Amino acid sequence: MRRTEPLASKQILSAHLMDAGFEVTLVNLKDSERESDFGATTWRGRRLTKVAVGASWRELDPRRFDVWGVTINYLQEREIACAVIEHLKAGGGRVAVGGSDAFAEPEPYLKAGADLVIRDKSGAANIAAIGWLAGISDAAGLTGVAMADGSARPARRPPMNPQDWPVPDPSVVAPTLGMEYWEAPLPPELKPIGVSMLDLGCDRHCDFCETPTYRLGYKAMTPERAEQWLTAQRDAGARSVIILSDQFLGRILWPGGREKILEIMAAARRLGLAVLWGNGIEINKATLGRGRRGGDRTPDEELVSALWGWDGEVGCAQVYIPAERPTTGPGSYEKLLPWREHCTMMEAIARAGVPDINYGVIVGLPDDSDDELARTLDLVHDMKSRLMSINPALKFRVMPFALRPLPGTPQSHELHRQKLLRFDDPAILGGFWTACADTHHMSYAQVADWQSRFIEEINGAETVAENWQGVTAMY
């Protein structure tokens, strides 16, 4: 994984713990250019070496802190995280583990030696868990954790609201700022990069996503609170900010939500921060019908301009569009627009002025065939042509992601049930570019070939030549 991206959860957790009276130190193992091999695997007949990039966990002093917190969000980093835990426990450390992958499947982390795994993504479990491990509170207050003895404590209901997360001091934010952005390279004037998660949860239930499994509903900060978080990024030195929400436009489903979205976007402009939609936005919700079933699918032009407008200094500097399978629209996922309306919305986004678009397409769905993917490729070609005719300077990349069967998701369950998975190695299962499952009509290797074909034909042949996995040359 890239080493110098901004660290969102560290801002949230550090501010929360410090507000409760704990002393907190951030230990960022990625803050190093060292490399070390830690294993190997085979994919498409090739032997691949697993390489950890960053400071060695073997040099950590397990007794340095009263409690260690290990965050692990990505399945492909599971092995390294477990090695960190084993090292800390072997030296007498006390370890709490959190993050999306640990939430979904705590057993590997408990087996590695973790004292507990946080299973409440809202933050409500953190203070009691750290207090118990530090020996300053008893186990009676624990909620939302899986314990080393095999027991579990249910999450608190209702969950914590992000409105109640303490706003971090700029001194807390500064060490979490990044110089890399996972979607695209950024010019120097947009660095350092801040990050803020202004809401939690999602109203959709896409089968590949872990967010619905968190059982959080949807909870959003007020515009005033959101501006405080954005101000903290600016005051720490950020020149751009990734709004990391899974469903930023979820606000629009409640009375006054549209106006709140406009207020937040206006605040980012006032602060001089360029906005980066690194997790994407459900473009269906930027229609007059707000993404509701049977609603008006006409773009809300004022909202589109607020979300994706760019004047060269502020506004939206880059967006990831989660198109998933745009050719089939709501037939694949309810959040998607039918193709014609999808094109209309994409054209509105291009007219708003955003200079850089990453267009995410899922390749290797269970029913995929050569014919279906050829049709999808033709339509993505058409999409790029439409947008380039509106803005010839637009940077447009297709991102043909393979299925990533994340633990606990319906997609993972179905792929196992249909016996389509070909691997169990987390480094492959969790990779965007390492196809891991057959379809009913194709092998996983054919799926990988289609990934490369999308990249080569849309983004340019040289990108495949520079990296055989199909990752664009921009990375």
Side-chain angles (χ1 to χ4, degrees):
M1 302 294 286
R2 294 162 294 279
R3 296 184 305 101
T4 60
E5 292 173 349
L7 306 174
S9 64
K10 311 308 180 292
Q11 294 185 22
I12 299 167
L13 181 58
S14 295
H16 195 186
L17 292 172
M18 293 170 71
D19 186 68
F22 292 97
E23 296 181 19
V24 180
T25 299
L26 174 62
V27 179
N28 183 4
L29 290 178
K30 292 185 178 182
D31 189 19
S32 170
E33 296 183 2
R34 293 170 57 183
E35 296 185 3
S36 59
D37 297 355
F38 68 96
T41 190
T42 300
W43 182 76
R44 297 198 70 182
R46 292 180 172 94
R47 185 181 185 276
L48 305 180
T49 301
K50 300 177 183 180
V51 180
V53 180
S56 174
W57 62 87
R58 300 178 183 92
E59 297 176 3
L60 295 175
D61 176 4
R63 297 286 188 176
R64 181 181 174 190
F65 301 111
D66 295 326
V67 178
W68 290 84
V70 178
T71 303
I72 172 65
N73 285 315
Y74 298 103
L75 176 61
Q76 65 265 51
E77 294 183 333
R78 178 182 289 186
E79 290 175 274
I80 295 177
C82 286
V84 172
I85 296 163
E86 289 171 355
H87 170 76
L88 295 174
K89 286 301 294 183
R94 288 168 285 188
V95 184
V97 177
S100 297
D101 191 63
F103 171 95
E105 208 163 78
E107 292 79 13
Y109 301 100
L110 294 171
K111 184 178 179 180
D115 293 283
L116 56 79
V117 171
I118 304 291
R119 302 204 71 199
D120 183 339
K121 291 285 285 185
S122 75
N126 296 335
I127 300 302
I130 299 302
W132 177 70
L133 284 176
I136 60 176
S137 59
D138 59 37
L142 291 175
T143 64
V145 295
M147 307 291 288
D149 63 6
S151 64
R153 307 296 175 90
R156 192 185 84 182
R157 291 288 179 263
M160 193 174 188
N161 193 309
Q163 177 73 11
D164 299 325
W165 292 342
V167 179
D169 186 84
S171 64
V172 173
V173 175
T176 73
L177 297 181
M179 298 300 289
E180 287 179 291
Y181 170 51
W182 56 83
E183 294 295 344
L186 295 180
E189 60 267 23
L190 296 184
K191 301 175 184 178
I193 309 161
V195 60
S196 292
M197 193 164 186
L198 306 182
D199 46 273
L200 272 178
C202 184
D203 65 299
R204 302 296 194 187
H205 292 85
C206 299
D207 66 356
F208 57 81
C209 186
E210 284 185 346
T211 300
T213 70
Y214 301 154
R215 299 181 62 201
L216 296 173
Y218 180 76
K219 300 182 183 302
M221 291 183 190
T222 63
E224 295 76 18
R225 193 64 156 181
E227 183 168 358
Q228 290 174 355
W229 274 82
L230 295 175
T231 300
Q233 310 304 305
R234 192 275 312 271
D235 290 350
R239 298 179 181 178
S240 60
V241 60
I242 303 167
I243 296 182
L244 199 61
S245 309
D246 288 311
Q247 187 57 281
F248 178 76
L249 294 188
R251 294 167 174 80
I252 209 160
L253 299 177
W254 279 267
R258 180 180 183 276
E259 289 67 33
K260 291 176 181 178
I261 292 166
L262 295 175
E263 286 183 52
I264 293 171
M265 300 312 298
R269 285 178 166 82
R270 281 198 307 274
L271 292 168
L273 290 169
V275 170
L276 311 167
W277 297 110
N279 271 6
I281 306 181
E282 182 193 330
I283 62 175
N284 195 359
K285 283 190 167 65
T287 61
L288 297 178
R290 314 304 182 217
R292 295 184 175 94
R293 189 174 299 177
D296 187 342
R297 291 165 172 155
T298 304
D300 181 333
E301 295 289 351
E302 183 182 15
L303 195 58
V304 168
S305 179
L307 292 166
W308 294 292
W310 173 250
D311 66 5
E313 294 184 2
V314 293
C316 177
Q318 203 284 332
V319 61
Y320 170 71
I321 300 290
E324 320 299 16
R325 183 50 62 83
T327 53
T328 55
S332 292
Y333 297 105
E334 189 177 12
K335 68 176 182 175
L336 302 181
L337 287 162
W339 177 250
R340 181 177 297 177
E341 289 84 354
H342 177 82
C343 292
T344 299
M345 176 59 78
M346 290 299 300
E347 291 165 358
I349 291 171
R351 285 195 300 272
V354 60
D356 192 306
I357 294 175
N358 273 11
Y359 190 75
V361 176
I362 298 175
V363 176
L365 294 170
D367 289 327
D368 272 352
S369 63
D370 283 322
D371 288 345
E372 169 60 21
L373 291 176
R375 174 174 172 267
T376 301
L377 178 59
D378 285 345
L379 289 176
V380 175
H381 265 300
D382 178 65
M383 171 64 68
K384 181 176 182 179
S385 297
R386 287 170 181 259
L387 303 187
M388 298 299 290
S389 69
I390 294 170
N391 177 10
L394 176 68
K395 295 177 182 176
F396 179 94
R397 308 174 200 85
V398 65
M399 307 297 284
F401 294 130
L403 295 186
R404 300 168 68 232
L406 300 178
T409 62
Q411 182 183 84
S412 179
H413 173 78
E414 276 301 297
L415 290 173
H416 279 94
R417 186 185 68 81
Q418 297 180 39
K419 301 186 183 328
L420 293 175
L421 281 177
R422 295 288 300 275
F423 298 90
D424 58 11
D425 189 318
I428 294 176
L429 290 175
F432 289 102
W433 303 107
T434 46
C436 64
D438 297 337
T439 78
H440 294 304
H441 309 286
M442 308 169 65
S443 71
Y444 82 93
Q446 290 172 292
V447 172
D449 287 341
W450 271 105
Q451 288 184 276
S452 293
R453 184 173 171 185
F454 270 78
I455 291 285
E456 181 175 353
E457 295 195 18
I458 303 295
N459 300 354
E462 69 281 359
T463 60
V464 176
E466 292 196 15
N467 190 314
W468 63 267
Q469 281 191 321
V471 182
T472 70
M474 296 296 183
Y475 287 77

